[in-house]
Amino acid sequence: MNPFKIATEIRAILLSSEDIKEAIGEKVFPIIAPENTVGDFIAYQRDSYKQDSTKFGIYQQVPIVNVVAISENYDRSQHLASLIYDTLSGDFADPDIHIELEDSTEDFIDNKYIQVLQFSIKNR
């Protein structure tokens, strides 16, 4: 796992979900959506990166990625957050990683409901 490219892997996993594609199409954007994006969408960004090591070297790399569901409707934002959670939680073979929800919160910004899900990603 390349910790600096992990957000790209997260996007690929999200876009492999038929449920997410049905809900928002291909509107999964790095960091911020293009100006004037219409409808519901997802934004994602690598938030932090932790590296654990011993005197023998690095034994674990843990990037943290925020995935944000954005909608003008509160119920749809929650539904999209549920789809994100269901899609990303668990073990994956390619890349060989384990994704776990660490935290979540919600907000209301610019007349949009925001659901923020924070995931840690570890090598299996």
Side-chain angles (χ1 to χ4, degrees):
M1 164 183 60
N2 181 329
F4 301 106
K5 293 184 177 182
I6 194 63
T8 302
E9 298 289 351
I10 296 298
R11 181 179 194 272
I13 293 169
L14 289 168
L15 288 175
S16 72
S17 165
E18 291 302 318
D19 291 334
I20 288 179
K21 279 183 163 177
E22 184 179 315
I24 62 167
E26 302 260 331
K27 294 189 286 184
V28 179
F29 305 108
I31 303 174
I32 190 167
E35 193 170 333
N36 299 320
T37 297
V38 177
D40 302 343
F41 60 92
I42 294 172
Y44 62 91
Q45 72 177 39
R46 183 172 39 88
D47 183 61
S48 64
Y49 170 68
K50 182 180 180 192
Q51 184 171 278
D52 295 323
S53 59
T54 67
K55 65 181 179 179
F56 300 108
I58 299 167
Y59 72 88
Q60 181 169 267
Q61 298 173 319
V62 184
I64 303 294
V65 175
N66 290 335
V67 182
V68 185
I70 299 120
S71 178
E72 293 177 353
N73 177 283
Y74 183 70
D75 291 337
R76 283 197 320 260
S77 75
Q78 288 183 317
H79 176 68
L80 192 51
S82 293
L83 293 176
I84 292 166
Y85 174 78
D86 291 344
T87 300
L88 292 179
S89 296
D91 294 327
F92 296 86
D94 187 24
D96 192 18
I97 57 175
H98 175 78
I99 302 176
E100 186 173 310
L101 182 69
E102 295 291 332
D103 197 7
S104 67
T105 188
E106 60 186 3
D107 207 344
F108 185 77
I109 302 170
D110 293 334
N111 293 318
K112 300 212 186 267
Y113 293 95
I114 312 293
Q115 302 289 331
V116 180
L117 292 84
Q118 186 176 69
F119 293 95
S120 63
I121 298 98
K122 297 178 184 172
N123 284 322
R124 291 194 306 147

